[in-house]
Amino acid sequence: MPNADLIRTFAQTFGLPYTPEPQNLPALANHRHLHLGKLADFYRHMDGTWQGENPRADYWLEMQTLFLQWLPYAGLPEIWNDWAFGWNNKAKQYLPTDGWREEWAVFGNMFDDSILFADTAAPGSPVYWLMTGYGTVENRRLVAPSVAALMHTLLAIHRFEQEWQAAGGLFYDEAEGGKPEDLLTALHDLLLHELPPECAVGFEAAFWG
């Protein structure tokens, strides 16, 4: 589970509003109840910025090799609703998404509007990636065995990026129009060190596939 030290390091690394004293999470819009699992530990350590002057504020993890928008607490019900229900042309109304589960908590949004969600019913709240447009939740990919493992992996990538840049490594190959092969190889090796093989494959597909 994410402990306070991990959450503090993660928040301070990426500029999120950490508070050492865990808060009681306020009621969400329309008194919506969400299953948060181990995500609750994270949100309890975010200060009033998440619910205060700008409750809709979003937070981007500033990284060279990937894009991830970590959603604020106040934004969780809306994105959950967007994925839990979809427009049915035949019925002319929004209907529950086939296979979607109440205990899935969507907390991450990516550059192509695909998402990261935590299965809060499972130990550690494993994290999955689901691409927009797939149509069925069966195509979800496991990217981390827990919320804590995801945070550890993102921190490891952040440290790697700093070391890569300090060594003169490039993040973009002008000739190829993408990430250099040596960078992708190094990231692949890092993921295999940080994550189980199935998760490493899913993480690569989600962020660099």
Side-chain angles (χ1 to χ4, degrees), residues 17 25 36 60 70 77 106 137 171 174 186 199 208:
L25 296 176
L36 292 180
W60 286 265
W70 196 293
V106 182
V137 298
F171 292 102
E174 294 286 350
C199 296
W208 306 309

Side-chain angles (χ1 to χ4, degrees), residues 11 13 56 89 127 130:
T13 298
R56 305 297 299 170
N89 285 324
V127 178
L130 185 59

Side-chain angles (χ1 to χ4, degrees), residues 4 17 48-49 93 139 157 168 207:
T49 303
Q93 61 179 318
N139 290 292
I157 293 172
F207 288 100

Side-chain angles (χ1 to χ4, degrees), residues 125-155:
S125 299
V127 178
Y128 292 85
W129 168 61
L130 185 59
M131 180 180 281
T132 303
Y134 268 23
T136 61
V137 298
E138 285 74 20
N139 290 292
R140 64 191 182 277
R141 302 286 296 274
L142 182 65
V143 299
S146 65
V147 172
L150 175 68
M151 295 169 71
H152 275 295
T153 302
L154 291 169
L155 286 169

